[in-house]
Structure formats: structure tokens, C-alpha cells
């Protein structure tokens, strides 16, 4: 059997691409691509990968990184959970009852286009510089993707499936639990995924401009005290956390629905 | 006993009530226990509406339908329905689809397993019990739907163009398959189709329906043994007769200009070419 050419191996490609990136980073950092300063200040603009790795260690030891990560994570999860608890039932009610839809839809149209970050000033005025303000903004911004995907899912429910369940003697409660909710699952996953992305974006923004804790605070703190390495470590952490959530929650969920998702395409 | 439909009418209002469509007008029909009856006619003749009323999914405006002297007003597991679109739950495996109605009825898991096993075997899909619907062909999907309906032990089976979405070969196979299943599990079947050959191949009687308004034009007893030979002299003779029913319908409506069925325009008007009755003539005018 002939050996596969090593440069066609995806693992090799991944390592090569990361290595190229790190090398470029290192060269940019020592040559002063982003501006020239006296050598002892060079690290201020773009610290080398090695310096950043050292900072990761330092921050892990002091516990600062995990503490602020925990704070942001708590805000995102609470705000997102609130958005789900409100958005899913409301979306189902809007799909089911014309009246609820008529009452809620105008408000959705008014508030949905406002970017979540635009709520930051009001939230700080109302709730002060703490968790409450951050959670409020997160809830507002992740509510709409969850809500809109739920109503879309309700609109797309296959009427024939409901008829079939009715002819088999299903009552309204069984129609809801055995037909409506399973039909909604792919739409809910999409809504949750987008809502979670929105939640992270606004929590960072809120922490950068006001709320003095969490990963967003660390990002702007690093800049403020001349420790660009802290900012970069925080960015990397943020990327890693989002990647982890994507792969440990959403990808497995999607894989589960893959078995039957194809049937929706009709 | 059996199904009794008397003086049934159903009207749909479209364009905000500007236009009335008489989907069904004064329908009378009696279906005996364990009879296989086929409703045949062009689209718009109300055959599917009639089936939905029998299922309890739609209400009639006038008249009523009864099953064993009980008025039909809402869906009931006694009246199983098979849909052209299969209506399988895509998130359930084949077995779980068959067990759906049993779950609704509150059967215990071991009872469900026993019953689903029996009907999956009947339709020949035991080997696919753990597959998902999207992995099956159209004919297999419809067999799952049939097993699902039979698992509830219904008195009647309502089939709404069940093979309409299948290719010609699967269609013939499924016609033979449903004959075999019906021989093993005798039920009253009301089978809606627009395929005249299919109706004659399957039915004890064929009910010929015409549109605008939806009415029963005639009821033709088939009187052939099963399994039937599609090319036997008797089969072709009955086929001729059913075709003639539609040709006559067309000469009746000769003056009508708003024929939405698309059948009329392919046929010569009565006064010009006379009544068209032979199969050969009709075939040359047939759309598709």
C-alpha cells in the first residue's frame, strides 16, 4: 500500500498553519511591525508568543484568569438561561395563538434592531456597575434570536404530522409534547447557538466600557496599564471558551438531530 | 353497520368569501364492513375532503357520516388514516413510529414491542426497525405508515392517495402489497386515488366522483377475485366502463368553460366527435 502524501494529511495542515501563524507573530513582534520603540518597550505593542505563554502561567497561578472568566461565564449563563426561559414559551405562544402574536410582534419589531450594546448606558444607570446590568443586557440581546427561531419553527411545523397524531387519538397536550416540541428542536438549537454568540459579544462590550470585572474588563485593563500580554491572553481564553462550548454542547446536539433533520428539507 | 354517509355537503369560501366552492354536494354512500372501496376522480372532486370528514379532521356543513351508527365528529383511533406524504415522525425510528399510537393509548413498553413487532413483520420491515424514515424509500415509508395505523387495530382504514408520490414500479408493487396485507388483516378500507387502474385493481367497488360541485357520479361494482390480473378481459372491460364514466361527465360539461381539472380540454366536445368510449381513443387524449 502506498503511503498517503503527508502534506495531504489534515493534521499536518493544521500544525503547519498554526506554526506559520506563530512564526509571523514572533517576527512581527521582534521587528516592530506595529511601530518601533526602544527595545525594552517593544513588548508593549506586541509581546512575543513566549511572553504571552509566560503570562498565561502567571495569571493561572494568581487565579486572576479563572476568577474573571468565572464572573463572565456566570453572567452569560444566567442571562442566556433567562432569555431561553422567556423566549421559548413566548415563541410557542406566538406561534399557537394569533392574539399573542398580534400583541408581541410590534414590540419585537421595535426592539429587535437595537444592538444589545446600545443598552449598556441605560443598564448601568438602572442597575449599577455589577452583575445585574450585565445580565440584563445579555438577556435582552440573546432573547431575540431565541424567540425568532422558535416562532419560525412553529410556523414550519408539518400540519400533516399533527393530523396524523390526531387520527391516532392524541390530545392537545400530547400533540405539544410528542409533535410540536420535537419538531422545534433543530430551530431551538439554531436559536440557542446564535443567542449564545450574542451573549458573549455583549458581555465583553459591557465589561469593557463599564462593569469593572470579567474578561472584558481584563481586555481593557491590559491596555490601560500597558500589559498587552494580559489583553492577548484574555482574547485567547475567550476564543478557547467559545470553541469549547461549541464543541461540547452544540456540535453533539446537532449530530443527534442529523438523523432526522434531512426530512425537514421537503 | 359500516360507514353511512347521508346528504353530506361541504362548501369552501375562497378569496375572502367572494367565491364559493362546493367541494361536496349531497353525498350519499354506504360502505359495508370489511369492504374495500375506492373513490376515484380528478382533482377538485372532493374525494380527499370526504376522506378528511370521515377521519374527523374536517366537519361537514350539512348532512352526516356515521361509523357503526355513531356520528363522526372528531378524530378517533378507530379510524386510521394514511397520508400521501407518509406523515412519519422524522425524529423517531421506524419502530418508534409504529409505536406512536400505542404510546398515546398508554400501553406498556413490552406490549408496545409485541404489537410493533407483529405489524413490522406483516409489512416486511422487521429488518429496518431501527432505521430513521429518511433512510427509507417511499414505498417502505408508506409500509411503516400502514403498520402504524394497523397497530391501533382500527375498524376502518382511510387512505388518501397513499401511493401518489411513488414511482410507477413501486406503485404497482405497493398495490400488490396492500392486497396481501388486506387479505391478512381484513378491514373496511376507503381508498382515495386518481389512478383508475389502481382503483379497479384494489376495490370491491369503485365510486366515480366528478368536480364542481363534488358529487358521486356512479358506483361500479368490480366483482373480480383477488389477486387480479391487470390484463384480463374482465379487468379491461371494467376499465372501459370507468373511462366511459369520465368521458360522459365531460360531454355533460361540454358547455362549461371553466374546467379547472385539465381533463376536458383534451377531449373532444360531445357534439363534434360523439361520445368517446373506447380505451384506445381515451388514451390518446390522456394528459401526462
Amino acid at each position: 500500500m502506498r503511503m498517503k502524501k503527508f502534506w495531504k494529511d489534515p493534521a499536518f495542515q493544521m500544525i503547519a498553519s498554526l506554526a506559520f501563524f506563530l512564526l509571523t507573530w514572533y517576527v512581527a513582534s521582534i521587528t516592530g511591525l506595529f511601530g518601533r520603540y526602544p527595545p525594552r518597550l517593544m513588548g508593549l505593542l506586541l509581546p512575543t508568543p513566549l511572553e504571552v505563554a509566560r503570562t498565561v502561567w502567571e495569571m493561572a497561578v494568581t487565579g486572576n484568569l479563572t476568577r474573571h472568566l468565572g464572573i463572565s461565564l456566570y453572567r452569560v449563563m444566567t442571562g442566556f438561561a433567562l432569555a431561553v426561559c422567556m423566549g421559548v414559551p413566548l415563541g410557542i405562544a406566538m406561534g399557537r395563538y394569533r392574539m399573542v402574536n398580534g400583541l408581541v410582534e410590534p414590540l419585537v419589531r421595535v426592539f429587535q434592531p437595537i444592538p444589545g450594546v446600545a443598552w449598556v448606558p441605560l443598564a448601568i444607570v438602572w442597575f449599577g456597575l455589577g452583575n445585574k446590568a450585565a445580565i440584563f443586557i445579555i438577556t435582552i440581546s440573546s432573547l431575540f434570536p431565541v424567540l425568532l427561531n422558535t416562532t419560525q419553527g412553529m410556523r414550519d411545523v408539518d400540519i400533516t404530522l399533527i393530523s396524523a397524531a390526531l387520527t391516532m387519538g392524541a390530545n392537545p397536550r400530547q400533540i405539544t409534547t410528542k409533535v410540536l416540541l420535537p419538531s422545534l428542536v433543530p430551530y431551538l438549537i439554531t436559536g440557542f447557538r446564535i443567542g449564545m454568540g450574542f451573549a458573549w459579544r455583549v458581555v465583553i462590550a459591557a465589561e469593557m466600557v463599564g462593569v469593572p470585572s470579567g474578561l472584558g474588563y481584563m481586555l481593557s485593563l491590559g491596555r490601560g496599564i500597558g500589559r498587552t500580554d494580559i489583553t492577548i491572553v484574555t482574547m485567547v481564553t475567550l476564543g478557547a471558551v467559545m470553541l469549547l462550548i461549541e464543541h461540547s454542547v452544540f456540535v453533539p446536539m446537532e449530530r443527534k438531530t442529523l438523523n432526522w433533520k434531512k426530512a425537514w428539507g421537503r | 353497520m359500516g360507514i353511512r354517509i347521508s346528504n353530506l355537503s361541504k362548501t369552501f369560501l375562497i378569496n375572502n368569501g367572494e367565491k364559493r366552492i362546493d367541494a361536496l354536494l349531497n353525498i350519499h354512500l354506504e360502505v359495508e364492513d370489511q369492504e374495500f372501496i375506492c373513490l376515484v376522480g380528478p382533482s377538485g372532486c372532493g374525494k380527499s375532503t370526504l376522506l378528511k370528514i370521515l377521519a374527523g379532521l374536517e366537519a361537514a356543513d350539512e348532512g352526516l357520516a356515521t361509523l357503526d351508527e355513531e356520528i363522526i365528529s372528531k378524530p378517533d383511533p378507530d379510524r386510521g388514516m394514511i397520508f400521501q406524504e407518509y406523515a412519519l415522525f422524522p425524529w423517531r425510528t421506524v419502530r418508534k413510529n409504529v409505536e406512536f399510537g400505542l404510546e398515546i393509548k398508554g400501553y406498556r413498553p413490552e406490549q408496545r414491542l409485541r404489537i410493533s413487532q407483529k405489524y413490522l413483520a406483516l409489512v416486511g420491515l422487521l429488518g429496518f426497525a431501527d432505521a430513521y424514515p429518511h433512510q427509507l424509500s417511499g414505498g417502505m415509508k408508506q409500509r411503516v405508515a400502514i403498520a402504524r395505523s394497523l397497530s391501533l387495530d382500527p375498524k376502518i382504514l382511510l387512505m388518501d392517495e397513499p401511493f401518489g408520490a411513488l414511482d410507477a414500479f413501486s406503485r404497482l408493487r405497493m398495490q400488490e402489497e396492500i392486497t396481501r396485507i388486506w387479505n391478512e388483516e381484513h378491514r373496511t378500507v376507503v381508498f382515495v386515488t386518481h389512478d383508475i387502474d389502481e382503483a379497479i385493481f384494489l376495490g370491491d367497488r369503485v365510486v366515480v366522483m366528478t368536480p364542481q360541485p363534488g358529487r358521486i357520479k356512479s358506483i361500479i361494482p368490480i366483482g373480480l377475485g383477488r389477486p387480479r390480473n391487470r390484463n384480463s378481459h374482465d379487468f379491461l372491460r371494467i376499465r372501459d366502463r370507468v373511462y366511459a364514466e369520465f368521458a360522459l361527465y365531460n360531454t355533460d360539461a361540454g358547455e362549461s368553460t371553466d374546467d379547472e381539472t385539465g381533463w376536458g380540454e383534451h377531449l373532444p366536445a360531445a357534439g363534434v366527435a360523439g361520445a368517446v368510449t373506447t380505451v384506445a381513443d381515451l388514451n390518446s387524449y390522456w394528459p401526462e
Side-chain angles (χ1 to χ4, degrees):
Chain A
M1 199 180 83
R2 260 181 70 187
M3 271 271 287
K4 205 172 143 189
K5 295 193 176 81
F6 70 90
W7 60 84
K8 286 188 175 169
D9 186 349
F12 168 78
Q13 289 166 0
M14 188 181 80
I15 292 167
S17 128
L18 287 177
F20 176 77
F21 169 71
L22 286 175
L23 188 70
T24 314
W25 176 2
Y26 181 73
V27 171
S29 164
I30 56 165
T31 57
L33 193 69
F34 295 106
R36 284 202 156 275
Y37 277 89
R40 65 189 171 79
L41 292 178
M42 282 287 276
L44 184 67
L45 291 173
L46 182 63
T48 60
L50 208 66
E51 280 168 321
V52 169
R54 213 176 289 134
T55 312
V56 171
W57 175 248
E58 179 200 328
M59 286 168 80
V61 168
T62 58
N64 274 332
L65 186 63
T66 40
R67 192 165 61 83
H68 286 281
L69 172 64
I71 292 170
S72 291
L73 204 60
Y74 165 75
R75 289 170 181 162
V76 166
M77 290 307 163
T78 314
F80 177 73
L82 281 173
V84 169
C85 290
M86 291 192 279
V88 174
L90 191 60
I92 292 175
M94 281 172 75
R96 195 108 196 231
Y97 306 105
R98 218 170 269 263
M99 163 121 131
V100 178
N101 189 59
L103 290 173
V104 179
E105 220 208 330
L107 298 178
V108 174
R109 275 174 195 268
V110 170
F111 286 102
Q112 194 245 333
I114 301 174
V117 191
W119 286 93
V120 172
L122 270 189
I124 291 176
V125 172
W126 291 346
F127 300 105
L129 294 170
N131 278 343
K132 271 192 205 157
I135 290 168
F136 171 77
I137 302 158
I138 293 164
T139 308
I140 283 230
S141 22
S142 49
L143 176 66
F144 290 106
V146 172
L147 179 69
L148 293 177
N149 276 284
T150 312
T151 50
Q152 186 60 46
M154 288 295 286
R155 250 176 258 137
D156 290 354
V157 168
D158 187 350
I159 301 296
T160 318
L161 292 184
I162 294 179
S163 298
L166 283 172
T167 59
M168 288 184 271
N171 61 32
R173 191 183 51 79
Q174 288 166 323
I175 297 273
T176 306
T177 57
K178 287 179 187 286
V179 184
L180 281 185
L181 289 180
S183 307
L184 282 182
V185 166
Y187 294 87
L188 293 183
I189 293 175
T190 308
F192 291 179
R193 174 183 258 163
I194 300 171
M196 183 64 96
F198 278 26
W200 277 106
R201 282 186 189 90
V202 294
V203 78
I204 297 304
E207 289 165 353
M208 276 174 73
V209 301
V211 186
S213 53
L215 291 180
Y217 171 70
M218 294 233 303
L219 284 174
S220 60
L221 181 81
R223 183 189 63 91
I225 62 170
R227 288 288 303 271
T228 325
D229 50 336
I230 293 184
T231 304
I232 292 176
V233 169
T234 312
M235 284 169 70
V236 173
T237 310
L238 203 52
V241 169
M242 291 181 76
L243 196 72
L244 192 72
I245 293 177
E246 175 76 15
H247 279 268
S248 61
V249 182
F250 292 114
V251 170
M253 270 164 117
E254 283 217 314
R255 194 167 298 144
K256 255 199 135 172
T257 62
L258 209 66
N259 277 334
W260 30 281
K261 218 178 171 182
K262 287 173 198 158
W264 258 268
R266 263 195 311 120
Chain B
M1 296 309 241
I3 304 170
R4 198 157 295 169
I5 300 165
S6 41
N7 199 28
L8 197 87
S9 296
K10 173 88 185 173
T11 305
F12 290 112
L13 295 176
I14 58 168
N15 294 343
N16 291 325
E18 283 169 29
K19 200 176 170 193
R20 276 168 58 100
I21 291 186
D22 288 314
L24 294 168
L25 191 65
N26 299 330
I27 301 289
H28 289 272
L29 182 65
E30 286 184 22
V31 185
E32 281 165 42
D33 264 348
Q34 313 215 333
E35 186 180 5
F36 199 125
I37 197 153
C38 292
L39 309 182
V40 66
S43 5
C45 73
K47 54 194 191 308
S48 286
T49 307
L50 183 57
L51 206 67
K52 285 197 182 110
I53 291 173
L54 289 177
L57 292 170
E58 293 222 19
D61 295 331
E62 270 173 59
L64 50 84
T66 61
L67 172 62
D68 295 346
E69 259 117 62
E70 271 177 57
I71 295 174
I72 294 170
S73 59
K74 58 177 177 50
D76 190 286
D78 265 355
R79 286 169 268 122
M81 178 120 174
I82 309 277
F83 300 83
Q84 182 179 353
E85 311 87 344
Y86 319 118
L88 299 181
F89 302 106
W91 55 85
R92 286 172 169 252
T93 61
V94 165
R95 181 189 302 287
K96 288 286 173 193
N97 262 287
V98 175
E99 291 182 1
F100 183 90
L102 304 168
E103 281 177 32
I104 296 288
K105 273 195 169 178
Y107 280 36
R108 288 197 311 278
E110 59 274 17
Q111 289 174 299
R112 296 206 299 257
L113 186 70
R114 189 173 48 75
I115 298 172
S116 63
Q117 198 78 358
K118 176 184 167 192
Y119 287 101
L120 282 173
L122 177 71
V123 299
L125 286 178
L126 266 184
F128 292 87
D130 296 319
Y132 282 88
H134 80 266
Q135 298 168 304
L136 307 180
S137 70
M140 289 159 93
K141 284 182 197 167
Q142 204 54 290
R143 273 144 69 189
V144 176
I146 291 167
R148 184 174 67 177
S149 282
L150 288 175
S151 73
L152 289 171
D153 196 19
K155 287 183 190 160
I156 63 172
L157 216 49
L158 306 164
M159 308 184 85
D160 190 4
E161 300 196 24
F163 311 143
L166 303 182
D167 63 82
F169 292 103
S170 318
R171 212 179 161 113
L172 295 180
R173 287 269 301 275
M174 283 304 290
Q175 289 168 8
E176 277 165 17
E177 185 75 358
I178 196 77
T179 308
R180 179 185 67 77
I181 292 169
W182 188 70
N183 275 333
E184 287 185 39
E185 292 273 330
H186 248 58
R187 309 282 153 144
T188 312
V189 178
V190 183
F191 189 104
V192 161
T193 178
H194 53 240
D195 180 337
I196 293 171
D197 283 23
E198 182 168 87
I200 301 169
F201 184 78
L202 294 174
D204 292 321
R205 288 189 294 160
V206 171
V207 177
V208 175
M209 295 183 72
T210 56
Q212 295 171 355
R215 263 202 260 244
I216 293 179
K217 177 153 199 320
S218 57
I219 298 176
I220 297 169
I222 302 301
L224 301 174
R226 289 187 178 85
R228 291 174 183 168
N229 178 349
R230 294 170 216 271
N231 295 312
S232 74
H233 178 72
D234 287 335
F235 194 96
L236 296 174
R237 186 177 47 76
I238 293 168
R239 190 165 175 261
D240 244 13
R241 213 182 129 192
V242 178
Y243 275 51
E245 289 290 337
F246 286 111
L248 274 175
Y249 143 67
N250 190 68
T251 56
D252 280 348
E255 309 104 66
S256 148
T257 47
D258 57 347
D259 185 338
E260 288 167 13
T261 64
W263 287 31
E265 61 209 39
H266 297 275
L267 296 164
V272 183
V276 181
T277 48
T278 67
V279 177
D281 278 353
L282 260 171
N283 272 341
S284 60
Y285 295 118
W286 218 247
E288 290 164 320

